[in-house]
């Protein structure tokens, strides 16, 4: 279904935005202006590749200090919408870019109003995220900036590449015990930084809730506790059983926002992961 | 105040609320796009023609259906706490919709409403099997409660099995009920179903009045209780099914409106039907305008707004009932 939507959206983009996709816009022709993004992860990529004047509005999440994936002072320079067709329509955009999970009614409304919608699903691998960056860079007419971002991500991945040692068994723990498993971007980043995601060993699915018993029966070396920006520790991770295992399991905070997006967020996530790995090696 | 005057007053109120609903929202629209009627390129005109107008009509259609269903239910069960959700039709319909979201079909137009409506129909069929031809009100209410808890638990199961947190939040957001970005398609879907449902309920008006004398008395006066039961079930099912299919779960309209109406027109069930429909339309339209115009960053969901109004109303109802007791 998602692929179908992207195809439909791409066809419409092709009609509405006749600017060349391969390379800089021809002289005398402006790159497509008036883009609205209604997804905070797309915002982060868009701000990297597009001109500020091409961006008409971003998602309201990007102006929320708890949720944003871009610097707040930068985000506040743009208009924000909550992503309803009404607000988007009033801005008369030439293109709307959204994540994969748009309310069906909103997607249908935009289609009816003949506003091209480019739906990009949640990336589950680094290469999917890179493909999305290239796609956004192409529709904004700034392929070069897209490639620069891709190169920075490649450099960050290379810099975080572990020495040839055995992967460290680890786990990412979101509040409530929700654990990203195989087939998620977070899991791939974890493995690329020299860890082994234990989620699949516990028999968990792509996203699943991990019972504490499993965790204790087969303790990981590292638990990355993904909490909000407050730095509070997850209440369940303070369970007495885990505290007694404290010497075996290192619990380190991992900012929740590093889990939410691909794109430029990958750079920050890899830096954090390799810092954690170095600190484990030192201890 | 007589019932006629109340109805006229409600119609005038509805006209005012419609005008307000068309101009109010995150994007306030002044009068001038109305003047440039039909000039297709102004985005503000498109907002009114394609988003606000269908949304306004839909709020009125669904509100009327829910208010009328509530009045019919309270008359039929002779219980002031009866709610259209009691038959399990709304939880059955939401289970259908949640399944279409769960399997990822909802991106195609009309799939989600189709799933929701089949959920509603299947719940009504199950109700028929459970309550049978008995015409017994107790059996009937119990069957409804069983069905709503079973379908509710299956909805919760679908949520807990959803593959990613993003899919979970998509389902939960839909369940909260809203009229955001609805279209004329939703109006054309909800209008005939609600009209048919309202027609069936209207057929029961006289029987509902007789039923206030009690079941044996009604039977002796020639009321066919089983036939009346099915008219009420199918009528309420159509109104509620249409509401869930196009807007998600919106509670309390059917509970609150008949109470307010009864204070003016008295307790005769047939007299409460029309004013309840008009009052439901007015209440839902005002509530939807309010959630749209509130200066919150993201829109408050209509279903939540109605529950927030409904809670205190229930409390007030409890206190006023207690005061009437010796």
């Amino acid at each position: 279904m998602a692929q179908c939507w992207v195809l439909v959206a791409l066809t419409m983009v092709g009609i509405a935005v006749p600017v060349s996709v391969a390379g800089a816009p021809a002289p005398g022709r402006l790159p497509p202006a008036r883009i609205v993004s209604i997804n905070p992860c797309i915002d982060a990529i868009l701000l990297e590749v597009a001109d500020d004047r091409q961006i008409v509005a971003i998602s309201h999440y990007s102006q929320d200090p708890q949720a944003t994936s871009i610097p707040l002072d930068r985000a506040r320079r743009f208009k924000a919408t909550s992503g309803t067709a009404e607000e988007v329509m009033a801005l008369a955009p030439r293109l709307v870019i959204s994540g994969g999970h748009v309310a069906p009614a909103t997607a249908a409304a935009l289609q009816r109003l003949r506003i091209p919608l480019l739906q990009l699903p949640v990336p589950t691998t680094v290469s999917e995220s890179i493909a999305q960056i290239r796609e956004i860079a192409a529709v904004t007419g700034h392929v070069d900036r897209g490639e620069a971002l891709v190169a920075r991500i490649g450099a960050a991945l290379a810099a975080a590449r572990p020495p040839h040692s055995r992967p460290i068994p680890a786990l990412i723990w979101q509040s409530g015990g929700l654990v990203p498993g195989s087939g998620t971007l977070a899991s791939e980043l974890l493995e690329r930084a020299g860890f082994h995601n234990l989620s699949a060993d516990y028999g968990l699915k792509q996203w699943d809730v991990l019972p504490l018993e499993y965790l204790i029966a087969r303790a990981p070396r590292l638990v990355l506790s993904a909490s909000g920006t407050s730095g509070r520790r997850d209440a369940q991770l303070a369970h007495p059983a885990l505290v007694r295992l404290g010497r075996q399991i290192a619990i380190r905070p991992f900012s929740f926002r590093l889990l939410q997006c691909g794109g430029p967020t990958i750079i920050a996530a890899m830096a954090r992961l390799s810092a954690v790995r170095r600190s484990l090696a030192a201890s | 105040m007589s019932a006629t005057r109340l109805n006229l007053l409600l119609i005038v109120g509805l006209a005012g609320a419609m005008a307000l609903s068309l101009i109010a929202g995150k994007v306030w629209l002044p009068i001038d796009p109305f003047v440039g009627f039909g000039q297709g390129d102004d985005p503000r005109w498109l907002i009114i023609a394609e988003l606000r107008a269908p949304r306004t009509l839909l709020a009125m259609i669904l509100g009327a259906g829910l208010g009328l269903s509530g009045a019919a239910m309270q008359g039929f069960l002779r219980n002031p706490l009866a709610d259209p959700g009691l038959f399990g039709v709304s939880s059955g319909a939401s289970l259908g919709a949640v399944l279409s979201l769960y399997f990822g079909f909802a991106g195609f137009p009309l799939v989600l409403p189709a799933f929701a409506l089949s959920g509603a129909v299947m719940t009504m069929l199950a109700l028929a099997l459970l309550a049978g031809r008995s015409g017994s009100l107790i059996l009937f209410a119990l069957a409804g409660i069983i069905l709503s808890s079973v379908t509710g638990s299956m909805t919760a199961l679908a949520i807990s099995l959803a593959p990613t947190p993003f899919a979970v939040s998509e389902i939960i957001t839909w369940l909260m009920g809203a009229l955001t970005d609805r279209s004329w398609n939703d109006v054309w879907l909800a209008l005939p179903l609600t009209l048919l449902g309202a027609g069936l309920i209207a057929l029961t008006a006289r029987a509902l009045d007789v039923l206030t004398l009690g079941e044996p008395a009604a039977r002796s006066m020639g009321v066919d209780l089983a036939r009346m039961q099915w008219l009420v079930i199918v009528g309420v099912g159509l109104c509620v099914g249409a509401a869930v299919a196009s807007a998600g779960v919106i509670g309390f309209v059917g509970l609150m409106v008949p109470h307010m109406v009864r204070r003016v027109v008295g307790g005769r069930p047939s007299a409460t039907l029309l004013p309840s429909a008009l009052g439901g339309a007015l209440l839902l339209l005002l509530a939807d305008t309010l959630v749209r115009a509130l200066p919150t960053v993201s829109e408050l969901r209509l279903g939540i707004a109605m529950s927030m109004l409904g809670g205190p109303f229930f409390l007030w109802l409890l206190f006023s009932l207690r005061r009437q007791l010796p």
Side-chain angles (χ1 to χ4, degrees):
Chain A
M1 178 208 79
Q3 289 87 335
C4 161
W5 270 111
V6 171
L7 274 182
V8 170
L10 274 180
T11 326
M12 290 191 286
V13 172
I15 295 162
V17 191
V19 172
S20 64
V21 161
R29 283 173 77 186
L30 291 170
R34 305 202 72 76
I35 299 170
V36 169
S37 157
I38 55 174
N39 177 289
C41 294
I42 306 290
D43 290 345
I45 300 175
L46 202 58
L47 257 61
E48 291 273 345
V49 301
D51 290 329
D52 280 6
R53 60 182 174 75
Q54 285 181 293
I55 306 169
V56 182
I58 58 177
S59 154
H60 71 96
Y61 289 113
S62 286
Q63 294 186 343
D64 179 346
Q66 300 284 326
T68 182
S69 293
I70 42 182
L72 267 184
D73 52 338
R74 182 105 203 270
R76 293 221 166 100
R77 272 187 248 156
F78 296 92
K79 203 172 156 41
T81 75
S82 67
T84 59
E86 212 178 283
E87 289 166 273
V88 170
M89 188 64 212
L91 299 169
R94 294 282 301 279
L95 173 66
V96 178
I97 311 182
S98 76
H101 296 266
V102 187
T106 303
L110 290 176
Q111 192 189 20
R112 240 180 11 257
L113 297 169
R114 285 190 284 283
I115 299 177
L117 171 68
L118 175 59
Q119 255 187 313
L120 298 172
V122 181
T124 57
T125 61
V126 170
S127 52
E128 270 180 40
S129 179
I130 285 176
Q132 291 186 355
I133 293 172
R134 292 203 164 116
E135 201 168 344
I136 296 172
V139 296
T140 54
H142 295 291
V143 173
D144 48 335
R145 291 185 206 159
E147 290 310 318
L149 178 57
V150 170
R152 273 168 56 212
I153 291 173
L157 290 169
R161 194 173 295 142
H164 293 288
S165 57
R166 283 190 57 221
I168 303 165
L171 202 62
I172 299 174
W173 176 282
Q174 284 192 34
S175 54
L178 194 63
V179 168
S182 51
T184 60
L185 180 64
S187 182
E188 187 182 339
L189 297 185
L190 204 58
E191 311 243 321
R192 280 180 183 251
F195 297 97
H196 170 66
N197 188 356
L198 275 177
S199 162
D201 301 73
Y202 294 129
L204 300 185
K205 292 179 302 175
Q206 194 184 7
W207 285 92
D208 217 336
V209 175
L210 175 68
L212 272 183
E213 286 186 16
Y214 289 15
L215 187 71
I216 291 162
R218 188 167 171 187
R221 177 73 189 87
L222 170 72
V223 171
L224 289 166
S225 165
S227 51
T229 44
S230 55
R232 257 185 309 116
R233 214 181 227 200
D234 192 87
Q236 251 179 304
L237 288 178
H239 193 284
L242 272 186
V243 174
R244 286 173 64 178
L245 275 175
R247 273 189 299 275
Q248 293 170 44
I249 307 178
I251 301 179
R252 297 291 154 83
F254 190 70
S255 174
F256 184 61
R257 72 175 63 155
L258 296 180
L259 278 176
Q260 288 169 320
C261 299
T265 309
I266 294 176
I267 299 168
M270 290 316 281
R272 172 69 186 145
L273 286 173
S274 63
V276 169
R277 183 166 46 78
R278 280 195 301 276
S279 79
L280 280 184
S283 67
Chain B
M1 186 164 38
S2 75
T4 322
R5 281 187 60 188
L6 176 66
N7 287 339
L8 282 176
L9 209 64
L10 285 170
I11 288 170
V12 171
L14 264 178
M18 268 178 83
L20 182 65
S21 167
L22 285 176
I23 58 169
K26 284 272 177 297
V27 187
W28 279 84
L29 296 170
I31 296 303
D32 49 303
F34 290 96
V35 180
F37 189 93
Q39 288 165 7
D41 281 353
D42 190 343
R44 293 176 306 176
W45 168 247
L46 272 178
I47 290 179
I48 291 173
E50 290 293 331
L51 294 168
R52 295 263 171 92
R55 187 174 177 164
T56 301
L57 275 181
L58 201 58
M60 287 164 55
I61 295 167
L62 302 189
L66 291 171
L68 181 66
S69 302
M73 288 284 293
Q74 293 180 4
F76 178 57
L77 296 177
R78 281 166 291 149
N79 185 327
L81 295 180
D83 175 271
L86 196 69
F87 286 165
V89 178
S90 66
S91 19
S94 39
L95 174 64
V98 165
L99 286 181
S100 80
L101 288 168
Y102 177 80
F103 290 112
F105 302 146
F108 303 104
L110 291 183
V111 170
L112 190 148
F115 267 67
L117 287 175
S118 22
V121 169
M122 278 195 257
T123 321
M124 284 192 271
L125 289 178
L127 203 61
L129 283 176
L130 285 172
R133 308 168 128 273
S134 65
S136 150
L137 297 183
I138 304 270
L139 193 60
F140 184 56
L142 276 178
I145 289 168
I146 291 167
L147 281 173
S148 48
S149 63
V150 169
T151 46
S153 66
M154 282 159 77
T155 304
L157 180 70
I159 292 172
S160 75
L161 290 180
T164 66
F166 314 106
V168 172
S169 75
E170 188 182 356
I171 294 177
I172 292 180
T173 313
W174 184 86
L175 271 179
M176 288 169 183
L179 287 169
T180 314
D181 297 342
R182 294 306 189 270
S183 69
W184 288 107
N185 291 346
D186 297 286
V187 174
W188 302 137
L189 181 86
L191 184 63
L193 293 173
T194 309
L195 279 180
L196 187 61
L200 294 179
I201 290 175
L203 290 179
T204 66
R206 214 190 65 84
L208 283 175
D209 286 349
V210 178
L211 194 62
T212 52
L213 302 172
E215 270 180 70
R219 254 185 244 276
S220 72
M221 288 176 78
V223 172
D224 182 352
L225 280 181
R227 172 178 172 271
M228 177 191 174
Q229 171 177 316
W230 289 113
L231 284 175
V232 172
I233 293 184
V234 177
V236 170
L238 284 170
C239 291
V240 173
V244 175
S246 41
V249 182
I250 295 171
F252 289 104
V253 180
L255 185 67
M256 291 198 282
V257 174
H259 278 282
M260 301 176 179
V261 166
R262 228 171 274 135
R263 313 205 120 214
V264 181
V265 301
R268 198 161 55 88
S270 68
T272 62
L273 292 180
L274 181 60
S276 290
L278 293 171
L282 182 61
L283 178 67
L284 204 61
L285 185 56
L286 285 177
D288 186 51
T289 309
L290 184 72
V291 298
R292 215 171 341 130
L294 276 183
T296 51
V297 185
S298 64
E299 196 174 288
L300 176 66
R301 312 289 295 176
L302 183 58
I304 300 177
M306 287 313 300
S307 309
M308 284 165 72
L309 289 175
F313 179 80
F314 241 137
L315 206 64
W316 168 81
L317 191 65
L318 181 79
F319 278 115
S320 64
L321 281 177
R322 233 175 38 175
R323 226 176 293 131
Q324 286 166 17
L325 296 176

